Amino acid sequence: MAPVKLTSSYYQQFFILGGRVFMGPGRLQCITTFTTIIVACLSFFFSSGPLLVDSKICCVLLAISAVLFVLSIYFLARTAFCDPGIIPRCEFGVEERFLEPRPVGIAKGVVINGSVVTLKYCRTCLHLRPPRCTHCRVCNNCVERFDHHCPWIGNCVGIRNYRWFLLFTFTCTALDLLVFGLSLVDFVRAAEKAPRGPEISSVADLLLYTAMQRPATFFVILFTILGGTFLVMLSRLHLRLAARNITTYEHIKGASRAGRDGLFSRGAPLLNWAE
């Protein structure tokens, strides 16, 4: 499906480079996410990286970390700067729209895999929503195969950027775990070199001393612990949802509990992941 051209004042999206770059309404959140990942990774590469090149294994892992970092930024950009699948509105003139009798309770049904799916009428966009399409209250648009509105990128995740979102989540999770492991190695090495004496008589003293000697490494470890916990849970959730062909919105609304998890399923997890 080709990206749509949105020109109405109703849309809150932002376009640059002649419409080639698409940004959602949460531009500040998007910039913050980019900045956080870049600052954390550069802190690791410039603080711990030079001290880990003495080991061949660490050198290989550092190279893998650099590749994952570049891929994470690329996939994040593709997710944040992509049209998620916005369905254009049925726009009328001001007078026509005011005088147009708005349908109340209009709905149609289509049969999908032997089950009837109701197409609801969107009173904001003035059209019948296709199956799995939802109106996002933040972006104020109907998004095809709406998954969720991601506050970290300030944009919706839908049919056009869900794959990029999954790739970003998985690569960023792998990057986080790898950076955490290498930072921990650097921190332990620094702790082993700490002088022994009455001023360092406990594990807490050793931890405090090492953190003061290696503040950037200590910051990266704390950041990767917090971020890694969230990313691992997010990756696990989307692996399970993608295997059953369920969106996050459907999962929250209880589609799996209602027995509708197989409605759009292609029969096998691999086929669902491929879709």
mmCIF file of all heavy atoms in Angstrom, residues 218-241:
data_model
loop_
_atom_site.group_PDB
_atom_site.id
_atom_site.type_symbol
_atom_site.label_atom_id
_atom_site.label_comp_id
_atom_site.label_asym_id
_atom_site.label_seq_id
_atom_site.Cartn_x
_atom_site.Cartn_y
_atom_site.Cartn_z
ATOM 1 N N PHE A 218 29.353 2.986 35.339
ATOM 2 C CA PHE A 218 28.313 2.754 36.341
ATOM 3 C C PHE A 218 26.959 3.263 35.834
ATOM 4 O O PHE A 218 25.918 2.611 36.025
ATOM 5 C CB PHE A 218 28.691 3.441 37.647
ATOM 6 C CG PHE A 218 27.746 3.173 38.773
ATOM 7 C CD1 PHE A 218 27.663 1.916 39.351
ATOM 8 C CD2 PHE A 218 26.924 4.184 39.270
ATOM 9 C CE1 PHE A 218 26.792 1.663 40.395
ATOM 10 C CE2 PHE A 218 26.044 3.939 40.306
ATOM 11 C CZ PHE A 218 25.972 2.675 40.870
ATOM 12 N N PHE A 219 26.959 4.417 35.179
ATOM 13 C CA PHE A 219 25.724 4.958 34.608
ATOM 14 C C PHE A 219 25.171 4.036 33.534
ATOM 15 O O PHE A 219 23.957 3.772 33.485
ATOM 16 C CB PHE A 219 25.988 6.354 34.024
ATOM 17 C CG PHE A 219 24.965 6.798 33.018
ATOM 18 C CD1 PHE A 219 23.707 7.218 33.427
ATOM 19 C CD2 PHE A 219 25.251 6.765 31.655
ATOM 20 C CE1 PHE A 219 22.760 7.621 32.486
ATOM 21 C CE2 PHE A 219 24.322 7.165 30.722
ATOM 22 C CZ PHE A 219 23.059 7.594 31.133
ATOM 23 N N VAL A 220 26.048 3.531 32.666
ATOM 24 C CA VAL A 220 25.596 2.643 31.590
ATOM 25 C C VAL A 220 25.008 1.359 32.164
ATOM 26 O O VAL A 220 23.997 0.847 31.672
ATOM 27 C CB VAL A 220 26.761 2.341 30.632
ATOM 28 C CG1 VAL A 220 26.372 1.247 29.639
ATOM 29 C CG2 VAL A 220 27.173 3.597 29.875
ATOM 30 N N ILE A 221 25.611 0.825 33.222
ATOM 31 C CA ILE A 221 25.089 -0.399 33.841
ATOM 32 C C ILE A 221 23.691 -0.160 34.394
ATOM 33 O O ILE A 221 22.771 -0.968 34.174
ATOM 34 C CB ILE A 221 26.046 -0.892 34.943
ATOM 35 C CG1 ILE A 221 27.339 -1.421 34.317
ATOM 36 C CG2 ILE A 221 25.393 -1.988 35.776
ATOM 37 C CD1 ILE A 221 28.379 -1.829 35.331
ATOM 38 N N LEU A 222 23.510 0.932 35.118
ATOM 39 C CA LEU A 222 22.177 1.233 35.660
ATOM 40 C C LEU A 222 21.162 1.450 34.543
ATOM 41 O O LEU A 222 20.019 0.965 34.623
ATOM 42 C CB LEU A 222 22.249 2.472 36.561
ATOM 43 C CG LEU A 222 23.024 2.334 37.869
ATOM 44 C CD1 LEU A 222 22.990 3.649 38.635
ATOM 45 C CD2 LEU A 222 22.454 1.206 38.725
ATOM 46 N N PHE A 223 21.578 2.168 33.515
ATOM 47 C CA PHE A 223 20.666 2.450 32.407
ATOM 48 C C PHE A 223 20.263 1.173 31.680
ATOM 49 O O PHE A 223 19.082 0.983 31.336
ATOM 50 C CB PHE A 223 21.331 3.429 31.437
ATOM 51 C CG PHE A 223 20.491 3.750 30.230
ATOM 52 C CD1 PHE A 223 19.454 4.663 30.318
ATOM 53 C CD2 PHE A 223 20.731 3.127 29.008
ATOM 54 C CE1 PHE A 223 18.676 4.960 29.209
ATOM 55 C CE2 PHE A 223 19.958 3.424 27.905
ATOM 56 C CZ PHE A 223 18.928 4.331 28.003
ATOM 57 N N THR A 224 21.229 0.279 31.433
ATOM 58 C CA THR A 224 20.917 -0.957 30.711
ATOM 59 C C THR A 224 20.074 -1.911 31.568
ATOM 60 O O THR A 224 19.291 -2.694 31.027
ATOM 61 C CB THR A 224 22.204 -1.659 30.272
ATOM 62 O OG1 THR A 224 23.102 -1.784 31.393
ATOM 63 C CG2 THR A 224 22.898 -0.871 29.166
ATOM 64 N N ILE A 225 20.229 -1.859 32.873
ATOM 65 C CA ILE A 225 19.379 -2.698 33.733
ATOM 66 C C ILE A 225 17.925 -2.246 33.631
ATOM 67 O O ILE A 225 17.008 -3.064 33.446
ATOM 68 C CB ILE A 225 19.864 -2.653 35.193
ATOM 69 C CG1 ILE A 225 21.194 -3.399 35.336
ATOM 70 C CG2 ILE A 225 18.821 -3.267 36.126
ATOM 71 C CD1 ILE A 225 21.783 -3.316 36.721
ATOM 72 N N LEU A 226 17.713 -0.934 33.750
ATOM 73 C CA LEU A 226 16.350 -0.411 33.672
ATOM 74 C C LEU A 226 15.760 -0.602 32.267
ATOM 75 O O LEU A 226 14.634 -1.089 32.113
ATOM 76 C CB LEU A 226 16.335 1.067 34.053
ATOM 77 C CG LEU A 226 16.729 1.398 35.497
ATOM 78 C CD1 LEU A 226 16.770 2.913 35.710
ATOM 79 C CD2 LEU A 226 15.767 0.754 36.485
ATOM 80 N N GLY A 227 16.537 -0.209 31.266
ATOM 81 C CA GLY A 227 16.043 -0.338 29.900
ATOM 82 C C GLY A 227 15.904 -1.782 29.458
ATOM 83 O O GLY A 227 14.947 -2.135 28.756
ATOM 84 N N GLY A 228 16.852 -2.634 29.880
ATOM 85 C CA GLY A 228 16.802 -4.036 29.485
ATOM 86 C C GLY A 228 15.601 -4.759 30.054
ATOM 87 O O GLY A 228 15.015 -5.630 29.387
ATOM 88 N N THR A 229 15.228 -4.435 31.288
ATOM 89 C CA THR A 229 14.047 -5.066 31.882
ATOM 90 C C THR A 229 12.802 -4.779 31.058
ATOM 91 O O THR A 229 11.998 -5.673 30.764
ATOM 92 C CB THR A 229 13.847 -4.566 33.317
ATOM 93 O OG1 THR A 229 15.026 -4.836 34.086
ATOM 94 C CG2 THR A 229 12.652 -5.242 33.970
ATOM 95 N N PHE A 230 12.654 -3.508 30.661
ATOM 96 C CA PHE A 230 11.491 -3.128 29.845
ATOM 97 C C PHE A 230 11.566 -3.755 28.463
ATOM 98 O O PHE A 230 10.562 -4.270 27.941
ATOM 99 C CB PHE A 230 11.426 -1.607 29.744
ATOM 100 C CG PHE A 230 10.419 -1.102 28.760
ATOM 101 C CD1 PHE A 230 9.062 -1.128 29.055
ATOM 102 C CD2 PHE A 230 10.823 -0.604 27.527
ATOM 103 C CE1 PHE A 230 8.131 -0.663 28.138
ATOM 104 C CE2 PHE A 230 9.900 -0.143 26.612
ATOM 105 C CZ PHE A 230 8.549 -0.171 26.914
ATOM 106 N N LEU A 231 12.759 -3.741 27.842
ATOM 107 C CA LEU A 231 12.887 -4.248 26.475
ATOM 108 C C LEU A 231 12.679 -5.753 26.399
ATOM 109 O O LEU A 231 12.069 -6.251 25.442
ATOM 110 C CB LEU A 231 14.268 -3.881 25.922
ATOM 111 C CG LEU A 231 14.466 -2.412 25.543
ATOM 112 C CD1 LEU A 231 15.922 -2.131 25.227
ATOM 113 C CD2 LEU A 231 13.579 -2.037 24.366
ATOM 114 N N VAL A 232 13.176 -6.491 27.378
ATOM 115 C CA VAL A 232 12.986 -7.944 27.371
ATOM 116 C C VAL A 232 11.498 -8.282 27.492
ATOM 117 O O VAL A 232 10.982 -9.158 26.785
ATOM 118 C CB VAL A 232 13.792 -8.597 28.508
ATOM 119 C CG1 VAL A 232 13.388 -10.057 28.695
ATOM 120 C CG2 VAL A 232 15.290 -8.513 28.212
ATOM 121 N N MET A 233 10.805 -7.593 28.383
ATOM 122 C CA MET A 233 9.367 -7.827 28.530
ATOM 123 C C MET A 233 8.617 -7.441 27.258
ATOM 124 O O MET A 233 7.688 -8.149 26.833
ATOM 125 C CB MET A 233 8.834 -7.027 29.725
ATOM 126 C CG MET A 233 9.390 -7.463 31.064
ATOM 127 S SD MET A 233 8.876 -6.376 32.423
ATOM 128 C CE MET A 233 7.097 -6.539 32.340
ATOM 129 N N LEU A 234 9.020 -6.336 26.623
ATOM 130 C CA LEU A 234 8.365 -5.897 25.391
ATOM 131 C C LEU A 234 8.615 -6.881 24.252
ATOM 132 O O LEU A 234 7.694 -7.217 23.490
ATOM 133 C CB LEU A 234 8.861 -4.504 25.014
ATOM 134 C CG LEU A 234 8.178 -3.828 23.823
ATOM 135 C CD1 LEU A 234 6.703 -3.551 24.132
ATOM 136 C CD2 LEU A 234 8.892 -2.523 23.465
ATOM 137 N N SER A 235 9.855 -7.358 24.131
ATOM 138 C CA SER A 235 10.179 -8.323 23.075
ATOM 139 C C SER A 235 9.422 -9.625 23.270
ATOM 140 O O SER A 235 8.904 -10.213 22.306
ATOM 141 C CB SER A 235 11.690 -8.589 23.054
ATOM 142 O OG SER A 235 12.413 -7.414 22.766
ATOM 143 N N ARG A 236 9.349 -10.082 24.504
ATOM 144 C CA ARG A 236 8.616 -11.321 24.789
ATOM 145 C C ARG A 236 7.139 -11.173 24.441
ATOM 146 O O ARG A 236 6.528 -12.080 23.865
ATOM 147 C CB ARG A 236 8.785 -11.684 26.264
ATOM 148 C CG ARG A 236 8.035 -12.939 26.693
ATOM 149 C CD ARG A 236 8.294 -13.242 28.154
ATOM 150 N NE ARG A 236 7.509 -14.377 28.610
ATOM 151 C CZ ARG A 236 6.268 -14.300 29.068
ATOM 152 N NH1 ARG A 236 5.668 -13.107 29.134
ATOM 153 N NH2 ARG A 236 5.616 -15.378 29.469
ATOM 154 N N LEU A 237 6.555 -10.017 24.775
ATOM 155 C CA LEU A 237 5.143 -9.786 24.479
ATOM 156 C C LEU A 237 4.886 -9.812 22.985
ATOM 157 O O LEU A 237 3.955 -10.486 22.507
ATOM 158 C CB LEU A 237 4.705 -8.457 25.077
ATOM 159 C CG LEU A 237 3.296 -7.976 24.692
ATOM 160 C CD1 LEU A 237 2.237 -8.922 25.235
ATOM 161 C CD2 LEU A 237 3.053 -6.556 25.189
ATOM 162 N N HIS A 238 5.703 -9.094 22.220
ATOM 163 C CA HIS A 238 5.445 -8.996 20.786
ATOM 164 C C HIS A 238 5.802 -10.273 20.043
ATOM 165 O O HIS A 238 5.214 -10.558 18.993
ATOM 166 C CB HIS A 238 6.190 -7.798 20.204
ATOM 167 C CG HIS A 238 5.498 -6.496 20.467
ATOM 168 N ND1 HIS A 238 4.419 -6.063 19.730
ATOM 169 C CD2 HIS A 238 5.700 -5.543 21.419
ATOM 170 C CE1 HIS A 238 3.995 -4.894 20.184
ATOM 171 N NE2 HIS A 238 4.757 -4.558 21.200
ATOM 172 N N LEU A 239 6.738 -11.059 20.549
ATOM 173 C CA LEU A 239 6.983 -12.369 19.956
ATOM 174 C C LEU A 239 5.741 -13.240 20.078
ATOM 175 O O LEU A 239 5.350 -13.937 19.134
ATOM 176 C CB LEU A 239 8.172 -13.038 20.644
ATOM 177 C CG LEU A 239 9.565 -12.724 20.097
ATOM 178 C CD1 LEU A 239 10.632 -13.365 20.973
ATOM 179 C CD2 LEU A 239 9.703 -13.201 18.663
ATOM 180 N N ARG A 240 5.116 -13.200 21.238
ATOM 181 C CA ARG A 240 3.922 -14.009 21.470
ATOM 182 C C ARG A 240 2.738 -13.481 20.649
ATOM 183 O O ARG A 240 1.989 -14.272 20.073
ATOM 184 C CB ARG A 240 3.591 -13.998 22.965
ATOM 185 C CG ARG A 240 2.413 -14.872 23.357
ATOM 186 C CD ARG A 240 2.422 -15.130 24.858
ATOM 187 N NE ARG A 240 2.424 -13.881 25.609
ATOM 188 C CZ ARG A 240 1.328 -13.250 26.012
ATOM 189 N NH1 ARG A 240 0.135 -13.748 25.730
ATOM 190 N NH2 ARG A 240 1.410 -12.137 26.704
ATOM 191 N N LEU A 241 2.578 -12.157 20.601
ATOM 192 C CA LEU A 241 1.458 -11.594 19.850
ATOM 193 C C LEU A 241 1.624 -11.820 18.347
ATOM 194 O O LEU A 241 0.648 -12.144 17.652
ATOM 195 C CB LEU A 241 1.331 -10.096 20.143
ATOM 196 C CG LEU A 241 0.950 -9.706 21.571
ATOM 197 C CD1 LEU A 241 0.833 -8.196 21.703
ATOM 198 C CD2 LEU A 241 -0.351 -10.368 21.994
#
